[in-house]
């Protein structure tokens, strides 16, 4: 029983359906694990214990009648505290929302409940999701289960720590610049950012309740889990229009079987415009590329021709900054710009955000035009490959520190944003689907490492099939020592 909390969600669901474990037993097991480990990790900030117990009893009673609610019947799960949950406090770690209790669920929460999942609780995040560490105004700092002196990343840091430590088998996060992928990488789990607009973002904070929704500000919603199979299940459950987020098209979710590994074509690189990466990261990518080539895959070290990474980073910053700035008064924009420059050093991501905050409509539209051109460049490149393998960040999880401090990467001082989201933010700009795979079998490291696997827009299912095949080489989830 004590190892059940490290099984993937789809296997837990199968055990419940087979009546080998009850939904209530499974919930109590996870609640006991939370009580034991969460005081140190601070990953889960709101528990919904009594309602979860009532729901688990209902799930067991339904099963006794021969009713199966869905593919996650009786499985506990968590959700990032930026998604509204009916009757359960939702704050996005923002002081003005400390007592906010929504009257309805975000679409992703409603769809998981409809699939039979049981909401265990809400997970920690930085204030309004805007950091690559997790230390918010309301709930404080979350820690990495692999090393509690280190960050679990952000902004879905609490969710990644909960999944990695066995407190939750399944989490839904949001990803504006890497907020699903960076924590997955730092905590050694699987994370998936779908194609932009594949999953509705309705009911996400930001924007604040009652405020208009931006074009790109909210990013993408997607699952964090302990297997690719769970990521595939997450896409099936979460994708599709909801009658509220009208940017989501009616693209059906398809079953795409994995092929023989040797039939796939892989591009790879560890170089985005000279952005430094750690020795372990480079070694893992090189070993993966060599192994794939030896198995008969077509493998080439390359990047999209003529892609200007400096421009890409700056354009992403301009688009984000313009939407952030649209909600600020003139004085707030000025103070934000001064503080942002002072805290985070000079880098194209930073310059783009500061310029965007202070931009006019014509400049915002021009940035969107450049976005379209860059997206076309990356899509044309990916049309030649089944997947593109790149780093997730410049290195493994770093020790807790104030937001904005430079990050040491093998003796090189790298600006904070570049070290944390320099490899991830490009695919928020272009909207391509990305999976993070932990690579425990490829590198001997005391801390987890993950690689990004990028696929073509709207071909999320093909990307997940590729990733399923890659796990034969990269390995499965490994639990942290002591859990």
């Amino acid at each position: 029983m004590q190892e059940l909390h490290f099984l993937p969600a789809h296997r837990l669901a199968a055990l419940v359906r087979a009546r080998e474990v009850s939904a209530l037993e499974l919930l109590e097991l996870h609640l006991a694990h939370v009580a034991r480990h969460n005081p140190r990790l601070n990953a889960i900030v709101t528990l919904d214990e009594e309602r979860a117990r009532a729901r688990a009893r209902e799930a067991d009673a339904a099963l006794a009648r021969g009713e199966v609610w869905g593919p996650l019947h009786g499985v506990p799960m968590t959700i990032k505290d930026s998604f509204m949950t009916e009757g359960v406090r939702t704050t996005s770690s923002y002081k003005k929302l400390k007592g906010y209790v929504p009257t309805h669920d975000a679409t992703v929460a409603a769809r998981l409940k409809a699939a039979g999942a049981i909401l265990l609780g809400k997970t920690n995040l930085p204030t309004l999701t805007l950091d690559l560490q997790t230390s918010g105004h309301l709930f404080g700092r979350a820690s990495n289960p692999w090393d509690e002196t280190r960050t679990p990343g952000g902004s879905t840091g609490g969710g990644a720590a909960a999944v990695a430590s066995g407190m939750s088998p399944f989490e839904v996060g949001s990803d504006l610049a890497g907020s699903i992928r960076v924590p997955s990488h730092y905590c050694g789990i699987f994370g998936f950012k779908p194609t932009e607009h594949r999953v509705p973002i309705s009911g996400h904070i930001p924007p604040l309740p009652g405020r208009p929704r931006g074009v790109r500000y909210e990013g993408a919603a997607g699952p964090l889990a302990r297997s690719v199979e769970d990521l595939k299940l997450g896409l099936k459950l979460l994708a599709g229009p909801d009658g509220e987020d009208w940017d989501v098209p009616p693209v059906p979710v398809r079953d795409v079987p994995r092929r023989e590994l040797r039939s796939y074509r892989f591009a790879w690189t560890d170089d985005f415009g000279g952005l430094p990466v750690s020795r372990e990261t480079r070694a893992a990518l090189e070993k993966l590329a060599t192994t794939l080539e030896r198995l008969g895959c077509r493998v080439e070290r390359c990047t999209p021709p003529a892609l200007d990474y400096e421009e890409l980073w700056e354009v992403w910053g301009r688009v984000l900054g313009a939407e952030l700035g649209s909600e600020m008064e003139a004085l707030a924009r000025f103070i934000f710009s001064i503080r942002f420059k002072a805290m985070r050093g000079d880098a194209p991501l930073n310059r783009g955000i500061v310029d965007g905050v202070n931009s006019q409509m014509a400049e915002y539209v021009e940035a969107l035009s450049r976005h379209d051109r860059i997206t076309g460049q990356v899509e044309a490149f990916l049309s030649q490959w089944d997947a593109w393998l790149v780093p997730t960040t410049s290195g493994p999880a770093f020790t807790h520190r104030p937001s904005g401090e430079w990050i040491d990467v093998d003796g090189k001082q790298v600006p904070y944003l570049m070290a944390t989201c320099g490899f991830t933010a490009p695919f928020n700009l272009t909207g391509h689907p990305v999976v993070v795979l932990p690579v425990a079998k490829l590198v001997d490291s005391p801390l987890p490492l993950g690689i990004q696997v990028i696929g073509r827009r709207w071909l999320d299912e093909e990307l997940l099939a590729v990733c399923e095949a890659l796990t034969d080489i990269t390995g499965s989830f490994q639990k942290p020592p002591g859990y």
Side-chain angles (χ1 to χ4, degrees), residues 375-421:
T375 300
Q377 285 180 270
V378 176
E379 180 69 7
F381 169 74
L382 285 167
S383 68
Q384 307 168 55
W385 305 98
D386 292 297
W388 185 20
L389 313 174
V390 304
T392 307
T393 70
S394 286
F398 50 87
T399 53
H400 298 294
R401 65 194 62 207
S403 174
E405 281 195 359
W406 292 54
I407 308 297
D408 181 88
V409 181
D410 293 346
K412 296 179 181 179
Q413 296 298 301
V414 183
Y416 181 81
L417 280 186
M418 298 302 293
T420 52
C421 67

Side-chain angles (χ1 to χ4, degrees), residues 142-260:
S143 294
N144 193 315
W146 285 84
D147 180 346
E148 292 164 24
T149 69
R150 296 177 185 267
T151 181
S155 59
T156 319
V163 172
S165 62
M167 293 192 292
S168 171
F170 193 89
E171 165 86 6
V172 176
S174 56
D175 191 309
L176 179 65
S179 290
I180 289 171
R181 290 162 289 156
V182 172
S184 296
H185 156 66
Y186 284 164
C187 293
I189 63 172
F190 296 81
F192 177 37
K193 181 194 82 68
T195 299
E196 65 177 346
H197 307 310
R198 191 79 195 266
V199 174
I201 200 77
S202 313
H204 185 270
I205 303 172
L208 295 177
R211 297 298 298 270
R213 181 173 62 87
V215 178
R216 300 181 188 280
Y217 184 12
E218 295 166 341
L224 298 86
R226 293 193 287 261
S227 72
V228 174
E229 184 66 29
D230 282 356
L231 302 185
K232 293 169 64 177
L233 178 59
L235 180 66
K236 289 180 181 179
L237 298 178
L238 300 175
D242 65 349
E244 186 175 351
D245 185 346
W246 294 105
D247 290 324
V248 178
V251 178
V253 178
R254 297 166 292 115
D255 288 321
V256 175
R258 59 179 282 185
R259 310 195 310 251
E260 284 190 64

Side-chain angles (χ1 to χ4, degrees), residues 52-64:
R53 286 191 175 99
R55 173 81 166 168
R57 293 187 186 100
E58 291 171 7
D60 288 332
L63 203 59

Side-chain angles (χ1 to χ4, degrees), residues 80 128-133 154-156 173-183 193 204 216-221 312-313 316-317 320 324 340 349 353 391-393 416-430 434 436 452:
K80 187 177 183 178
L128 294 174
T129 76
L130 294 175
D131 200 354
L132 277 302
Q133 294 182 85
S155 59
T156 319
S174 56
D175 191 309
L176 179 65
S179 290
I180 289 171
R181 290 162 289 156
V182 172
K193 181 194 82 68
H204 185 270
R216 300 181 188 280
Y217 184 12
E218 295 166 341
L312 193 161
W313 288 318
W316 174 85
L320 173 62
L324 289 170
F340 206 88
L349 279 169
I353 291 173
T392 307
T393 70
Y416 181 81
L417 280 186
M418 298 302 293
T420 52
C421 67
F423 287 104
T424 54
F427 306 109
N428 293 92
L429 180 74
T430 66
V434 187
V436 166
Q452 289 190 101

Side-chain angles (χ1 to χ4, degrees), residues 44 80 94 96 110 119 126 136 145 167 197 212 222 240 286 357 401 407:
I44 299 175
K80 187 177 183 178
Y94 185 53
K96 291 184 179 181
L119 178 63
M167 293 192 292
H197 307 310
E286 289 177 346
V357 164
R401 65 194 62 207
I407 308 297

Side-chain angles (χ1 to χ4, degrees), residues 78 84 97 110 115 117 125 141 155 162 166 194 218 244 266 317 358 415 427 481:
T78 50
M84 294 183 187
L97 296 176
L125 74 166
R141 187 176 74 192
S155 59
E218 295 166 341
E244 186 175 351
F266 295 99
N358 297 288
F427 306 109

